[in-house]
Amino acid sequence: MAGTVRILIDDQPIEVPAGTLVVDAAKRAGIDIPVFCYHPKLEPAGMCRMCLVEIGTLQTDPNTGQPLRDEEGRPVVRWMPRLQTACTTRVADGMVVRTNTLQVREAQRAVLEFLLTSHPLDCPICDKGGECPLQNLTMRYGPAESRFDYWDKMRQEKRVPLGDLIILDRERCILCGRCIRFQEEIADDPVLGFSDRGRGMEIITFSDPPFASYFSGNTTDICPVGALTTTDFRFRARPWEMTPIPSICPHCPVGCNITLDVRISARKGGWDILRVMPRQHEEVNEIWICDKGRFVHHFATAEDRLRQPLARRNGELVPVSWEEALARVAEAMRQAGAQAAGIIGDRLPNEDLYLFRRLFAEVLGSSWITMDPPIAGAEWVARYGVGVGTDFGRMGRGSLIVVMAGDLEEEAPVWFLRVRGAVRRGARLIAAGGRPQKAERYADLILRYRYGTEALVLIGALRVLFEEDRIAPEARPRLDGVEALRKAVMGYSLDEIGRRSGVPREALQAFARAVAEARDVVFLFGREGVFDEEALVGLAADLLALTGHVGRAQNGLLPLWPHGNTQGALDFIGAQPLPGEVPFLYVVGADPLGDGRPMPRAGFLVVQDLFLTETARLADVVLPAQSWAERDGTFTSAERRVQRFYKAIPAQGEARADWEIFTALARRLGAGWLYLAPEAVMVEIARALPRYAGMDYGALAWTRPQWPPVGTSRDLYFGGTARPNTGGLGRVWPAEAESPQARWPLAWKAPAVPSEEAVLVVPVRRLYDEGTLIAHTPHLRNRMVPPAARVHPETAARLGLRDGQPVLLPVNGGSVPLRVEPDATVPAGVILAPVSRIGRTGILEGLPVALPMEVGDGAVSA
């Protein structure tokens, strides 16, 4: 096999790729070499010495090249004089390794004896008990008793907060450095480090606020002892007391695989989610999750959840039975008929979205349904989205990643980790946006454009492609509309584009050439400051199609959609305008009034949700829905991967699944629906929708072994406590361009661009934006984004705004109270505000509004 070497480990012949570490080669062969400091996702450190082994090389006859043998016919091995660390030694052809000799066993016992000299006897109360590598390896390799004097034990602090989320027990820490190296190598948040020396060495945090990272919870997964614990789970349960349920994180477009550990709670008296753990999926999230995915789950069992139907009587919402609530809703729907309208949120599972569409289209004969929030450009993602098999883990030299109009760490944190990993392997990164972001640290090229001119930047790049004739030869036969696009973009001057956008000619040329010359290109696009979303997505699609970077793995568009099932909502519902006034409006899993988005005036309003939102407070009937943790279902991530999640806890009160409510209403309206479980809905989806063909629950539950091994009692020391994937790897539906017969049409839409004099109000999405769900996680309360209007000091001076001044920011006819916060990183002529605040006054999420600003009476007004 090319690129491989042959070695012997414990007399077992093994063939592995050249450059493999000895510890990894042994693990792949099923041979355990114990480790503490080593982790397969981190660079080797060689600190703990637990992995010491004997290493030698086979001796060969210089004349024949054949192995030399002794008098008994055994190969002659030249052994190194000392034991070697298997975690830092790479294999070489003819290498011989012994892992179970007396010398190796004595070294292992000595290391464990040393680690245990000051380790506390906390096993009966330690949160890591039952899944502790130190405990397991001590039983397998350690001494039966210690020779050290108890009174010489090193005593340290037992509860050291490393911020709001992580607690450090310094007595338990074995100074392996895994947490420090994860923060430096993977997260690029070097906020942890060693302090002092010798036995007094300890882990400290350097940042202010402490442990300032979106990925801090991962350090508890890879910690080989009980030194790091999370504040929400600490002392709540032992691992064997909980039931692990496979699930999918609902908060962002990545679709991270997670496990919900559930048990009857002593605090709440019923079943509760005690902790969230990453579930291994090497093509999606590897073994990592962000802290939002780990900690924002408390809303599922919140005390203020809707637990029974409500109906309006004498102007008040009062509890009613399901029978009465469904009867009132069904009668109002029957009267409205084809004039009924519906709005459904993009957090709901696919099964619910599909039945919502059927309810309106087939039962009521209405086409007036839309998703919330409205999204543009979905047709181009369906055509030119990343190819099946796309995996950032396989991207390196020859690959190019473009991030435009979005902050990767804030909007899709785990993709940020994976893109950073690709860059470390040699991939190039182009970061294009209106303000600085963390991803720019690794960028080969930074395109800093004026907000609202992102489409002009793409037009400039397209013009360079045509000027330099860089259209991919293999793409030419499949392209439609090349000449029309050429004529349109050649009408723009590069110098004028540079003047309007702020991106000079040289940068536009470098951008276009990088895309044309790369072997693979993944183009991630967001919505931050985008003035014409349809133009942005269409032009990005043109750029990829012209250069042949569509229709195959590691190539195509990858959207930074707002939520975990935005793609599913686009597949089943879409975004289309509704009339201004309707006789009946059904709002499901959305809060248009609370989010400041327009909503039709309704003669009869029904709201179906988890909480009594601002929209629900005005409803005629309110129906309590179940959260994703209370039912089975599927989500479709932004890469179009359909994945299963499983019921983890019983329903709260009388809450019902959305699909179940739709079925009950359809039957009352005369439809013969008979769905006994969401699985039956997915079977129908798999038959009815070509994109979802073959994606029944059985197919989505398929899984396979992955590297590295994690989460099993035998391998906890190696990969950590992330869960192995037993719930399914999901399936990706192919983009249209992947069909060998498909044509590749090009888009053209003259983009709308704001005037150069306008002050732009730009909603900015942050990971910890305040909202209904995150508000129920007290552990993140101090990390919530403050309600500030961030503005460049020069712009603030021009508008007469002072630091800390309260202002009423006008957006789409409404006004939102914010405090002024001067920030030199904000572009001139721009006001940045949290999506969670700006959205409430009518601005569409991610879209700026050009507003000439005047100052009067301490408030900003249009």
Side-chain angles (χ1 to χ4, degrees):
M1 185 185 298
T4 63
V5 297
R6 296 177 181 273
I7 64 172
L8 284 174
I9 302 183
D10 293 343
D11 297 325
Q12 179 177 334
I14 298 171
E15 188 172 7
V16 294
T20 301
L21 292 167
V22 171
V23 66
D24 289 342
K27 176 58 72 174
R28 290 183 183 275
I31 299 171
D32 288 332
I33 298 177
V35 296
F36 284 119
C37 71
Y38 177 72
H39 190 281
K41 295 287 186 180
L42 303 174
E43 293 297 322
M47 295 172 60
C48 71
R49 322 308 285 178
M50 188 65 194
C51 65
L52 291 171
V53 293
E54 291 188 54
I55 293 181
T57 55
L58 292 172
Q59 300 302 291
T60 58
D61 187 317
N63 297 319
T64 65
Q66 296 299 310
L68 293 176
R69 298 185 178 274
D70 60 17
E71 296 176 352
E72 298 180 4
R74 294 174 302 187
V76 176
V77 179
R78 179 181 295 169
W79 296 101
M80 292 185 179
R82 295 184 180 83
L83 298 179
Q84 303 296 309
T85 50
C87 75
T88 62
T89 304
R90 300 192 181 275
V91 297
D93 210 28
M95 179 180 283
V96 181
V97 181
R98 294 194 297 204
T99 73
N100 197 30
T101 64
L102 178 61
Q103 186 181 11
V104 170
R105 291 197 299 270
E106 285 299 323
Q108 292 166 344
R109 276 195 290 269
V111 170
L112 281 165
E113 188 176 34
F114 175 73
L115 290 176
L116 294 173
T117 58
S118 288
H119 199 81
L121 296 177
D122 281 351
C123 295
I125 62 165
C126 180
D127 284 311
K128 204 77 168 184
E131 55 184 17
C132 176
L134 177 61
Q135 193 178 63
N136 295 348
L137 293 182
T138 297
M139 298 296 292
R140 287 165 61 184
Y141 299 99
E145 59 185 32
S146 175
R147 297 171 294 166
F148 285 81
D149 188 347
Y150 170 78
W151 300 106
D152 194 37
K153 178 181 182 296
M154 186 77 172
R155 290 173 173 81
Q156 298 195 68
E157 291 182 81
K158 298 289 290 178
R159 189 185 188 281
V160 180
L162 295 180
D164 303 320
L165 304 176
I166 307 297
I167 302 295
L168 168 65
D169 186 323
R170 284 186 172 143
E171 276 198 336
R172 297 176 188 168
C173 179
I174 63 172
L175 304 175
C176 69
R178 279 186 177 186
C179 56
I180 296 173
R181 286 149 52 217
F182 169 82
Q183 290 299 138
E184 292 177 348
E185 298 172 18
I186 307 296
D188 193 24
D189 292 325
V191 297
L192 299 180
F194 287 124
S195 175
D196 211 338
R197 305 186 68 171
R199 294 186 77 190
M201 184 180 288
E202 59 190 23
I203 302 291
I204 63 172
T205 176
F206 298 115
S207 62
D208 184 18
F211 211 158
S213 174
Y214 288 158
F215 309 100
S216 64
N218 294 293
T219 61
T220 68
D221 301 329
I222 62 175
C223 178
V225 291
L228 297 175
T229 52
T230 61
T231 54
D232 72 332
F233 176 67
R234 184 175 169 84
F235 296 131
R236 292 199 66 188
R238 310 311 299 272
W240 59 83
E241 297 174 333
M242 298 180 292
T243 302
I245 306 296
S247 192
I248 302 295
C249 180
H251 299 305
C252 89
V254 177
C256 290
N257 287 214
I258 58 175
T259 294
L260 306 180
D261 283 348
V262 301
R263 194 197 74 166
I264 293 179
S265 169
R267 296 179 185 176
K268 298 183 178 180
W271 284 90
D272 196 8
I273 302 168
L274 297 193
R275 66 174 176 177
V276 176
M277 300 289 285
R279 180 164 56 104
Q280 185 177 27
H281 196 318
E282 290 298 316
E283 294 180 10
V284 177
N285 58 296
E286 301 182 36
I287 58 173
W288 317 121
I289 55 175
C290 75
D291 286 348
K292 185 173 184 178
R294 188 181 298 269
F295 293 103
V296 181
H297 60 82
H298 303 86
F299 69 88
T301 54
E303 292 297 325
D304 58 343
R305 276 279 305 274
L306 288 170
R307 285 176 162 79
Q308 63 185 117
L310 306 174
R312 192 167 297 280
R313 289 179 183 166
N314 301 320
E316 299 287 335
L317 285 172
V318 298
V320 297
S321 67
W322 269 105
E323 177 67 24
E324 179 180 341
L326 291 174
R328 291 185 62 175
V329 174
E331 180 57 29
M333 296 179 85
R334 181 179 290 107
Q335 292 181 10
Q339 304 303 308
I343 298 174
I344 192 165
D346 62 344
R347 293 181 181 271
L348 272 77
N350 291 320
E351 294 80 356
D352 306 2
L353 296 164
Y354 172 76
L355 290 188
F356 188 73
R357 189 185 71 176
R358 279 200 67 195
L359 178 64
F360 275 81
E362 299 178 18
V363 180
L364 298 174
S366 171
S367 60
W368 287 352
I369 60 170
T370 191
M371 63 177 283
D372 183 81
I375 301 287
E379 68 276 12
W380 293 107
V381 173
R383 184 170 289 137
Y384 296 137
V386 289
V388 174
T390 294
D391 180 2
F392 285 120
R394 297 192 180 102
M395 299 184 75
R397 293 192 181 279
S399 301
L400 173 67
I401 300 168
V402 180
V403 181
M404 190 171 199
D407 190 325
L408 202 55
E409 189 185 38
E410 300 285 352
E411 300 183 49
V414 169
W415 279 348
F416 169 83
L417 298 185
R418 307 203 71 216
V419 167
R420 171 170 157 75
V423 171
R424 293 179 67 194
R425 291 187 297 272
R428 299 185 65 195
L429 173 66
I430 295 177
R435 62 179 176 89
Q437 57 170 291
K438 187 174 172 181
E440 292 179 358
R441 298 179 186 177
Y442 331 112
D444 288 88
L445 178 63
I446 298 173
L447 302 177
R448 179 80 73 250
Y449 56 77
R450 294 190 182 97
Y451 279 118
T453 64
E454 58 286 325
L456 292 181
V457 174
L458 293 177
I459 289 174
L462 290 169
R463 173 167 179 136
V464 173
L465 290 181
F466 285 121
E467 284 181 345
E468 300 182 1
D469 194 21
R470 289 180 175 267
I471 300 176
E474 66 275 16
R476 288 181 185 272
R478 303 183 67 176
L479 294 168
D480 288 334
V482 175
E483 289 307 313
L485 179 63
R486 181 199 302 270
K487 181 178 179 181
V489 302
M490 293 304 285
Y492 288 77
S493 161
L494 286 182
D495 291 333
E496 179 62 14
I497 289 175
R499 188 189 69 78
R500 293 289 305 276
S501 68
V503 179
R505 171 191 289 266
E506 295 76 15
L508 294 171
Q509 292 171 331
F511 178 26
R513 292 165 185 167
V515 173
E517 294 167 3
R519 181 188 67 240
D520 300 313
V521 179
V522 171
F523 194 118
L524 294 110
F525 67 91
R527 309 171 72 206
E528 184 179 298
V530 176
F531 210 74
D532 189 333
E533 195 171 1
E534 290 186 7
L536 168 70
V537 185
L539 292 168
D542 292 343
L543 185 67
L544 295 176
L546 286 169
T547 54
H549 293 303
V550 296
R552 53 194 173 94
Q554 330 304 356
N555 290 269
L557 295 169
L558 187 54
L560 295 171
W561 295 141
H563 298 122
N565 201 34
T566 304
Q567 184 61 54
L570 290 165
D571 292 343
F572 293 97
I573 305 296
Q576 47 274 331
L578 299 181
E581 187 169 353
V582 294
F584 175 90
L585 180 62
Y586 197 177
V587 179
V588 180
D591 183 19
L593 294 180
D595 292 334
R597 286 186 282 272
M599 185 178 80
R601 294 184 300 276
F604 193 94
L605 175 62
V606 178
V607 175
Q608 189 167 301
D609 214 320
L610 305 181
F611 298 95
L612 194 63
T613 63
E614 291 187 36
T615 305
R617 293 180 192 280
L618 300 180
D620 295 283
V621 175
V622 178
L623 303 176
Q626 294 176 2
S627 71
W628 103 113
E630 298 161 71
R631 39 80 56 85
D632 294 324
T634 60
F635 289 148
T636 305
S637 71
E639 64 166 339
R640 309 182 316 283
R641 183 183 297 273
V642 185
Q643 301 182 101
R644 282 189 68 177
F645 59 86
Y646 298 74
K647 178 178 179 177
I649 57 176
Q652 301 296 296
E654 299 177 26
R656 295 185 182 181
D658 296 280
W659 67 267
E660 189 177 3
I661 300 172
F662 299 152
T663 300
L665 289 171
R667 291 180 65 83
R668 285 177 176 270
L669 293 169
W673 291 13
L674 184 60
Y675 301 105
L676 301 181
E679 183 175 4
V681 183
M682 198 62 195
V683 168
E684 185 173 304
I685 291 173
R687 293 172 178 168
L689 273 70
R691 289 178 180 176
Y692 287 72
M695 295 190 189
D696 56 44
Y697 277 14
L700 298 179
W702 175 84
T703 187
R704 65 174 181 272
Q706 301 181 79
W707 176 267
V710 299
T712 64
S713 59
R714 183 174 184 82
D715 297 315
L716 287 172
Y717 70 89
F718 191 73
T721 53
R723 304 293 193 209
N725 198 320
T726 59
L729 300 176
R731 289 177 59 177
V732 180
W733 57 263
E736 295 172 17
E738 295 183 73
S739 170
Q741 294 78 34
R743 303 291 298 173
W744 295 353
L746 301 174
W748 173 251
K749 175 183 181 295
V753 180
S755 69
E756 298 178 62
E757 295 77 23
V759 173
L760 297 180
V761 181
V762 177
V764 175
R765 185 175 294 278
R766 302 286 294 275
L767 187 65
Y768 296 146
D769 271 329
E770 66 177 8
T772 302
L773 304 188
I774 196 172
H776 289 87
T777 300
H779 312 278
L780 293 174
R781 191 165 293 140
N782 294 333
R783 303 194 176 204
M784 301 276 281
V785 176
R790 295 162 53 210
V791 58
H792 192 280
E794 293 181 0
T795 305
R798 176 160 64 92
L799 296 173
L801 302 177
R802 303 181 305 277
D803 187 3
Q805 175 186 3
V807 297
L808 290 175
L809 192 65
V811 184
N812 284 4
S815 60
V816 60
L818 296 171
R819 288 191 174 274
V820 175
E821 181 181 307
D823 185 343
T825 66
V826 176
V830 171
I831 296 177
L832 302 183
V835 162
S836 57
R837 289 301 183 104
I838 288 294
R840 291 181 176 176
T841 56
I843 192 168
L844 299 179
E845 284 185 292
L847 297 177
V849 174
L851 294 172
M853 312 295 271
E854 297 177 357
V855 179
D857 300 324
V860 179
S861 59

